[in-house]
Amino acid sequence: MKKITTVIFDLGGVLIDWSPEYVYLKEFRGDRAKMDWFLEHICAWDWNVNQDAGYPIAKATEERIALFPEYKELITMYYGRWEEMLGYAHKDTLTILKKLIDNPDYRILALTNWSGETWPKAIAKFPWLQWFEGILVSGDEQMRKPFSEIYNLMLNRYSIKAEEAVFIDDSLANIHGCEAVGIKGIHFKNAEILEIQLRTLGIEL
């Protein structure tokens, strides 16, 4: 196995906590069943990831309201109060990131599915995002994980050799996507397991 020289992090779910629940559980007065139905049928996940691939937020919101006018106020909240959905940094994973950043043997980058329109809010909230050598944001590139084109773009833009890289993501589909182009994948569960997995690959922390 080739020595790993580049570690690529996903952000949401690995280093950053983000959840629409922070807004909608309050709006539905704690009724999780009603909230879950809304997030499965009205502002559904596949609708959200379309914006992560660069679809304009204003247009997406307008189209969703046209389909479900009775939910106009709640739909508008999705991006209107998006910043409230942005929670905290996962401190244990952040500790691992800092150790890697401090080790000159590794290049540390990030690859995230994130709307280019909301990305500046994340940069403002989390100064440590500046630690990365580079961050590829799906919304800015008009493509997203788990499709191979975004992994190939990552490899080409930063002159990474796939066999010398590892990618960490909490989505198994995204791990399958990176492995399809030759990047080693780590399916993130928690920081404790991640540290073991990195050491198993010979990565020093």
Side-chain angles (χ1 to χ4, degrees), residues 9-19 22 85-99 114 125-126 128-129 131-132 168-170 188-192 194:
F9 281 83
D10 171 42
L11 296 177
V14 175
L15 283 159
I16 296 173
D17 169 58
W18 176 86
S19 176
Y22 293 140
M85 302 178 189
L86 197 58
Y88 50 85
H90 293 293
K91 291 183 179 179
D92 291 346
T93 319
L94 196 60
T95 298
I96 293 173
L97 172 65
K98 185 63 168 63
K99 289 177 181 178
W114 206 296
K125 181 164 185 174
F126 301 112
W128 52 263
L129 288 170
W131 295 352
F132 290 97
I168 303 157
D169 198 300
D170 62 321
F188 179 81
K189 299 293 185 181
N190 59 54
E192 185 178 2
L194 174 61

Side-chain angles (χ1 to χ4, degrees), residues 111-169:
L111 170 59
T112 184
N113 278 355
W114 206 296
S115 164
E117 294 179 66
T118 59
W119 177 244
K121 296 178 181 179
I123 290 287
K125 181 164 185 174
F126 301 112
W128 52 263
L129 288 170
Q130 306 292 342
W131 295 352
F132 290 97
E133 177 185 334
I135 301 176
L136 200 67
V137 178
S138 64
D140 289 337
E141 307 300 337
Q142 309 289 303
M143 60 180 73
R144 65 175 176 85
K145 300 174 290 182
F147 303 107
S148 60
E149 59 182 352
I150 197 165
Y151 300 101
N152 285 324
L153 177 64
M154 187 87 193
L155 295 173
N156 293 331
R157 180 167 295 175
Y158 295 102
S159 301
I160 301 165
K161 294 180 180 178
E163 65 273 17
E164 295 179 4
V166 62
F167 177 55
I168 303 157
D169 198 300

Side-chain angles (χ1 to χ4, degrees), residues 36-70:
D36 287 346
W37 184 91
F38 176 82
L39 293 174
E40 287 169 12
H41 297 89
I42 309 301
C43 289
W45 183 251
D46 59 350
W47 175 71
N48 172 68
V49 296
N50 197 39
Q51 282 67 267
D52 286 350
Y55 198 76
I57 285 174
K59 189 174 181 182
T61 301
E62 181 182 331
E63 291 171 349
R64 189 81 354 183
I65 290 170
L67 285 173
F68 306 103
E70 67 274 29

